[in-house]
């Protein structure tokens, strides 16, 4: 993504890069290390192959991950977060903490929805 197309607001910029649910889950899963396409498809969940491929391409274009294809039969492709992609870990950690607190609040006795 070219810098001139990014929003002025830093929060909006972050959302532009990781706003899709699948992108956040891809980052979560790649924080533990390099994964093959099939591993990502299984760990991310009910994402279609077409959507996962599109998300991975967008993330590669944004500089969040690198794709390495091996000239084998069948072809093997691996994805690894770049330093920029790994720098999103505190953002995901904050999302994890907030989500855990929200879930605990929902389960608290006397909570009315």
């Amino acid at each position: 993504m070219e810098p001139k197309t990014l929003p002025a607001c830093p929060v909006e910029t972050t959302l532009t890069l990781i706003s899709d649910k699948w992108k956040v889950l891809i980052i979560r899963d790649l924080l533990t290390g390099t994964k093959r396409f099939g591993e990502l498809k299984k760990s991310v969940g009910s994402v279609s192959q077409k959507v996962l491929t599109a998300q991975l391409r967008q993330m590669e274009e944004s500089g969040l991950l690198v794709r390495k294809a091996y000239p084998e039969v069948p072809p093997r492709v691996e994805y690894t977060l770049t330093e920029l992609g790994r720098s999103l870990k505190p953002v995901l950690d904050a999302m994890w903490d907030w989500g855990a607190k929200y879930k605990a609040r929902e389960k608290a006795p006397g909570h009315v929805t």
Side-chain angles (χ1 to χ4, degrees):
M1 181 169 288
E2 295 178 38
K4 63 183 176 190
T5 62
L6 292 175
C9 172
V11 171
E12 194 175 347
T13 297
T14 305
L15 286 173
T16 298
L17 294 172
I18 65 167
S19 62
D20 188 277
K21 163 182 154 179
W22 304 119
K23 289 179 183 173
V24 173
L25 297 178
I26 291 165
I27 293 166
R28 175 202 67 189
D29 292 347
L30 288 178
L31 279 169
T32 60
T34 299
K35 301 269 187 302
R36 293 175 69 171
F37 185 88
E39 292 175 301
L40 281 173
K41 182 142 179 17
K42 284 180 193 166
S43 65
V44 167
S46 60
V47 64
S48 71
Q49 184 167 330
K50 180 181 176 182
V51 169
L52 180 58
T53 299
Q55 299 298 299
L56 289 166
R57 283 187 182 143
Q58 289 172 11
M59 293 173 73
E60 185 179 16
E61 288 171 15
S62 299
L64 299 178
L65 60 79
V66 291
R67 175 186 188 271
K68 182 165 183 178
Y70 295 88
E72 300 173 354
V73 178
R76 177 171 52 118
V77 178
E78 293 180 341
Y79 297 89
T80 307
L81 287 177
T82 61
E83 187 175 332
L84 180 65
R86 286 190 303 276
S87 73
L88 286 163
K89 185 180 185 318
V91 175
L92 269 66
D93 288 347
M95 292 171 72
W96 176 281
D97 292 344
W98 190 91
K101 288 175 187 169
Y102 183 82
K103 285 173 75 171
R105 176 185 160 272
E106 289 291 305
K107 293 179 183 176
H111 176 77
V112 179
T113 53

